[in-house]
Amino acid sequence: MKGITASGGGGISDLCKSAALIRISGFLLISVVFFYVGKHFSDGSAQQLLFFTPQQDSGSAAVGLSPNLGKAFDVSSVVNETASSPPPENGQIEPQHAAAAPPPPPPPTAVERMGVVDENGKMMDDFEVGEYDPELVENWSKTNESEGLESDGKGDRVRVRVKKFPLCAESMREYIPCLDNEEAIKQLDSTEKGERFERHCPEEGNGLNCIVPAPKGYRTPIPWPRSRDEVWFSNVPHARLAEDKGGQNWIAIDKDKFKFPGGGTQFIHGADQYLDQFEKMLPEIAFGRHTRVALDVGCGVASFGAYLLSRNVLTLSVAPKDVHENQIQFALERGVPAMVAAFATRRLLYPSQAFDLIHCSRCRINWTRDDGILLLEINRMLRAGGYFAWAAQPVYKHEAALEEQWEEMVNLTTRLCWTLVKKEGYIAIWQKPLNNSCYLSREEGTLPPLCAPDDDPDKVWYVDLKACISRLPEEGYGSNITAWPERLQTPPDRLQSVQIDAYISRKELFRAESRYWKEIIQGYVRALHWGKFKLRNVLDMRAGFGGPLVQCKANYSLKCSFAAALIENKLDCWVLNVIPVSGPNTLPVIYDRGLIGVMHDWCEPFDTYPRTYDLIHAAGLFSVERKRCNISTIMLEMDRILRPGGHVYIRDTLNIMDELQETGKALGWHVSMRDTSEGPHASYRILTCDKRLLRA
């Protein structure tokens, strides 16, 4: 019993020590908590304290806000002040009155709905847009005009200055630099094959350095479609063609205008009747479906092509700058696609299998000379299964010399494996084969031979004519295109032959570029009011697949996605798509889409008359060509071929814009720089330029 008591006493002692330890620990914990709570309220981090105050009227309690809401206190100073203050005289502490309850909050402001849906999310018909400045919306594109600066390579921006260009002599108003180089022409060894009508560009340093003037009395061209039938005399003041060809119903002078009755040497009763005869002779020609792109050789004033436009056929009219030197100028003034070109010693600047129909009406070309080398050039450009139409005296006249010419033509076309599908009146029509089988089955030694397998029929820049038959692709490329208008948006098979850094994704690139330019052109039409411009003749200086421009009814392009986009926006214009020699050759793709184009090097002048185009478009051209060419030289050439009152749109990198702006000002253009749709921080800008109708 004693042992138990002793043992129990030790346990009780330990238990008491444990209880004391717990009480001490709890006290310390509570002290720490109160310390941090006090510090929390003293530093103003939680100033909104709630108090329960009795309501005297109802006797119930209400929740009120602390009267010290929003105030900050120094707790240490308050404690010190309280400690040093004397106690009240009566020894009693006055009670603190509770703070009065704050006034009730104001009623919520009614929400003014300005959207297009109601409170239930349903679309409303009557909604307010809110306040806006109509003038700002109408002219928004003018608000982001800016000036660019050229980089000096050290991170700084310096301004580029270009001296103002002077006017050229009045005698140069029809000047085409590479076709009017008299010094180079005089040095030619021979001109018997037409060498004088080919390109002979001025040497470096001797090129154009002034602004080509317009004729006195120049007026804004008559808009299409009226221009098909009449143009201002003062714009092309040359009466010789009317004097020479007036009896053949080509052209006539009527007061201050030239009139075009629609006739030609072989169709004096009009082009429409002539075209009707074609369709009756050969219904398979199917203008506007099977036949979409045509070439008219020795075109006169281009009435054949002008009247085919109404049948949805895009015709490129070509002729040399010869004794009737202004025939192409008349065609362009009328608003008809045309270029200065000659069948002489070099390939024309168009790809193989470009044209569904090639037409020659009294074109004064000896097709059988030099083993038929000129007709072999026609064969190169003619699409597999396409037609060659020849309207000439040897077809129908029974004279010994003319009958001999006809026999030579029949013999040559037979060796070319062409089929004479129709001969009626003064018109003969041949068809080109669809593949190489006929060529390979000819007797050994038959001339002309097939070209070597490594010959590229699409290589045309300064390439001599070859007396051989261009091979057709074994895969059938070029012959298996779809009908118009489906072919415009269908990626052609020849897309696979384009030498670009993408093999599998070519079709995807094609479609992406088409969508890209469609959106850009829609922006041009909407924001820059292209719909108000009287655009007819359009040039795309770097056409890619043929697609940057608005929908032109008469012609289209894939970056000529530009031209294709113009088509879709229904602008009544045609586009000539230029493929620079410095980039991949996409020209075959452009023609397979039903568009027209040409190969060119922008370091050299272009083969057209002054005042050709209403709109010139250049996307990404200068940032590429500045490594090879002089920018001022290119823009001076643009001014030469741009009509007074015409427009230039340049879409390029920011670091080149200042030089372009200054050069445009030196040309007397009105220039302004705008942001792209990507916004002000994008690396690209759009430079819009307007050529004044009258020079200052």
Side-chain angles (χ1 to χ4, degrees):
M1 185 71 181
K2 188 176 180 179
I4 296 174
T5 304
S7 176
I12 293 172
S13 175
D14 292 340
L15 183 61
C16 291
K17 290 180 181 179
S18 298
L21 180 61
I22 292 173
R23 284 195 295 272
I24 293 172
S25 300
F27 176 80
L28 291 175
L29 178 62
I30 293 173
S31 300
V32 171
V33 170
F34 274 94
F35 172 81
Y36 280 102
V37 170
K39 188 176 186 302
H40 178 67
F41 288 120
S42 66
D43 62 10
S45 61
Q47 298 174 357
Q48 189 170 343
L49 302 181
L50 298 179
F51 292 85
F52 286 89
T53 58
Q55 296 285 347
Q56 295 179 358
D57 296 338
S58 60
S60 61
V63 179
L65 296 176
S66 169
N68 295 327
L69 175 62
K71 299 180 181 179
F73 299 95
D74 184 353
V75 176
S76 60
S77 63
V78 172
V79 172
N80 294 335
E81 182 180 353
T82 305
S84 59
S85 300
E89 295 180 357
N90 55 6
Q92 295 181 356
I93 300 176
E94 295 182 3
Q96 182 176 355
H97 296 286
T109 306
V111 178
E112 182 179 1
R113 294 191 175 275
M114 304 181 70
V116 296
V117 296
D118 59 17
E119 63 275 6
N120 298 320
K122 183 179 179 182
M123 184 72 72
M124 297 190 302
D125 295 328
D126 53 338
F127 59 87
E128 297 182 24
V129 177
E131 296 182 0
Y132 70 98
D133 185 349
E135 184 177 355
L136 180 62
V137 174
E138 179 68 20
N139 302 310
W140 74 268
S141 59
K142 299 179 181 179
T143 62
N144 58 354
E145 296 179 5
S146 60
E147 294 184 352
L149 294 175
E150 188 76 8
S151 174
D152 63 355
K154 300 178 181 179
D156 298 327
R157 308 291 284 176
V158 294
R159 181 166 297 283
V160 177
R161 296 294 182 186
V162 181
K163 185 178 179 181
K164 186 175 181 180
F165 293 96
L167 280 176
C168 302
E170 190 69 24
S171 59
M172 297 179 65
R173 66 188 186 188
E174 317 294 352
Y175 179 62
I176 305 177
C178 294
L179 302 180
D180 291 329
N181 188 356
E182 293 298 332
E183 292 185 5
I185 293 173
K186 291 177 182 178
Q187 297 175 8
L188 293 174
D189 295 332
S190 172
T191 59
E192 64 179 14
K193 295 181 179 179
E195 290 92 341
R196 65 169 288 110
F197 303 121
E198 295 182 310
R199 291 175 59 85
H200 305 286
C201 298
E203 296 180 358
E204 187 175 353
N206 296 327
L208 187 68
N209 58 3
C210 55
I211 296 173
V212 174
K216 292 182 179 179
Y218 183 88
R219 305 171 66 174
T220 301
I222 295 173
W224 183 269
R226 284 176 50 210
S227 63
R228 188 194 74 170
D229 303 322
E230 61 181 18
V231 301
W232 298 116
F233 181 92
S234 58
N235 289 10
V236 192
H238 302 286
R240 178 174 177 178
L241 197 60
E243 296 168 356
D244 292 348
K245 299 294 184 179
Q248 298 176 4
N249 219 19
W250 278 30
I251 184 173
I253 300 175
D254 183 8
K255 298 179 181 179
D256 60 348
K257 296 177 181 177
F258 286 107
K259 295 294 184 71
F260 303 93
T265 302
Q266 286 294 151
F267 47 96
I268 60 175
H269 299 296
D272 261 337
Q273 181 178 332
Y274 183 63
L275 295 173
D276 289 341
Q277 183 179 354
F278 269 83
E279 292 191 300
K280 290 178 181 178
M281 289 175 61
L282 193 65
E284 295 85 354
I285 207 164
F287 289 139
R289 286 290 293 167
H290 178 73
T291 300
R292 162 61 189 169
V293 185
L295 179 71
D296 187 18
V297 181
C299 61
V301 292
S303 289
F304 180 80
Y307 281 81
L308 270 175
L309 287 172
S310 62
R311 301 176 188 234
N312 222 6
V313 176
L314 187 59
T315 304
L316 181 61
S317 302
V318 297
K321 191 178 183 183
D322 57 8
V323 63
H324 302 306
E325 63 178 19
N326 298 104
Q327 53 188 327
I328 291 297
Q329 191 174 20
F330 279 116
L332 293 167
E333 186 69 18
R334 295 176 73 183
V336 180
M339 282 194 70
V340 182
F343 283 82
T345 67
R346 299 191 194 119
R347 285 178 172 176
L348 273 68
L349 303 177
Y350 315 114
S352 64
Q353 297 196 76
F355 301 101
D356 309 318
L357 168 68
I358 298 180
H359 171 257
C360 163
S361 175
R362 295 287 290 272
C363 53
R364 300 189 302 166
I365 294 177
N366 183 3
W367 295 116
T368 58
R369 76 160 173 88
D370 297 334
D371 298 323
I373 196 168
L374 299 183
L375 198 64
L376 286 167
E377 176 65 359
I378 290 288
N379 182 76
R380 182 188 69 84
M381 297 186 295
L382 186 62
R383 190 175 299 280
Y387 300 100
F388 175 71
W390 191 36
Q393 290 181 339
V395 176
Y396 65 95
K397 280 197 172 183
H398 301 287
E399 299 177 5
L402 296 176
E403 287 181 345
E404 183 179 352
Q405 292 178 26
W406 171 252
E407 290 300 323
E408 290 177 355
M409 188 70 167
V410 170
N411 181 274
L412 176 59
T413 54
T414 301
R415 286 183 279 121
L416 292 179
C417 291
W418 288 8
T419 302
L420 181 61
V421 293
K422 201 73 175 181
K423 179 185 177 185
E424 183 178 298
Y426 49 83
I427 303 173
I429 302 177
W430 285 269
Q431 186 176 25
K432 180 179 176 177
L434 289 169
N435 51 52
N436 295 320
S437 60
C438 174
Y439 304 141
L440 298 174
S441 64
R442 297 183 306 167
E443 292 184 6
E444 186 177 353
T446 301
L447 298 177
L450 277 173
C451 294
D454 60 351
D455 176 69
D456 185 355
D458 296 322
K459 190 176 182 180
V460 297
W461 188 248
Y462 288 114
V463 175
D464 291 337
L465 294 176
K466 298 183 179 181
C468 60
I469 301 173
S470 297
R471 296 172 181 264
L472 293 171
E474 295 297 335
E475 304 86 351
Y477 292 172
S479 63
N480 50 3
I481 57 171
T482 56
W484 182 263
E486 292 80 9
R487 65 191 276 190
L488 177 65
Q489 301 298 348
T490 303
D493 290 336
R494 280 203 282 183
L495 191 64
Q496 300 301 327
S497 64
V498 178
Q499 299 298 316
I500 56 177
D501 294 332
Y503 182 76
I504 299 177
S505 60
R506 280 178 171 83
K507 292 186 178 181
E508 287 73 15
L509 290 174
F510 177 95
R511 295 189 178 95
E513 186 178 83
S514 298
R515 289 194 299 268
Y516 171 75
W517 280 111
K518 181 179 179 180
E519 293 177 1
I520 288 179
I521 296 305
Q522 288 175 344
Y524 286 167
V525 174
R526 180 177 60 254
L528 302 177
H529 310 295
W530 275 20
K532 297 180 181 179
F533 296 163
K534 295 179 180 179
L535 302 178
R536 179 58 190 169
N537 302 355
V538 179
L539 180 73
D540 188 10
M541 297 179 70
R542 186 170 178 257
F545 290 118
L549 291 184
V550 205
Q551 173 171 358
C552 297
K553 293 180 181 177
N555 173 27
Y556 325 76
S557 112
L558 160 76
K559 183 182 128 216
C560 186
S561 298
F562 177 79
L566 284 176
I567 296 173
E568 295 176 357
N569 282 274
K570 301 181 180 178
L571 297 184
D572 202 359
C573 59
W574 60 271
V575 181
L576 184 66
N577 298 281
V578 178
I579 301 303
V581 298
S582 57
N585 184 6
T586 57
L587 207 52
V589 175
I590 288 174
Y591 277 90
D592 285 355
R593 296 187 70 186
L595 310 172
I596 60 173
V598 66
M599 182 72 68
H600 185 63
D601 184 348
W602 284 114
C603 295
E604 299 183 7
F606 196 62
D607 286 345
T608 193
Y609 280 89
R611 302 172 298 280
T612 290
Y613 296 102
D614 301 297
L615 172 67
I616 298 177
H617 180 265
L621 176 75
F622 291 96
S623 56
V624 174
E625 300 294 13
R626 70 185 304 186
K627 303 171 185 176
R628 307 171 51 247
C629 320
N630 183 285
I631 287 181
S632 296
T633 301
I634 297 177
M635 293 188 71
L636 191 60
E637 176 66 2
M638 293 167 68
D639 180 85
R640 184 184 72 85
I641 65 180
L642 183 65
R643 286 175 167 175
H647 313 278
V648 172
Y649 281 74
I650 301 172
R651 185 183 183 93
D652 220 314
T653 55
L654 180 60
N655 61 9
I656 201 174
M657 278 297 168
D658 188 60
E659 184 174 354
L660 296 176
Q661 278 186 297
E662 294 302 322
T663 306
K665 293 175 183 177
L667 291 167
W669 296 350
H670 177 270
V671 301
S672 61
M673 190 163 66
R674 294 175 167 84
D675 295 333
T676 65
S677 59
E678 288 85 359
H681 301 294
S683 60
Y684 273 69
R685 293 289 186 275
I686 299 173
L687 186 68
T688 64
C689 312
D690 300 315
K691 181 176 178 179
R692 294 179 173 88
L693 186 61
L694 298 175
R695 296 286 186 181

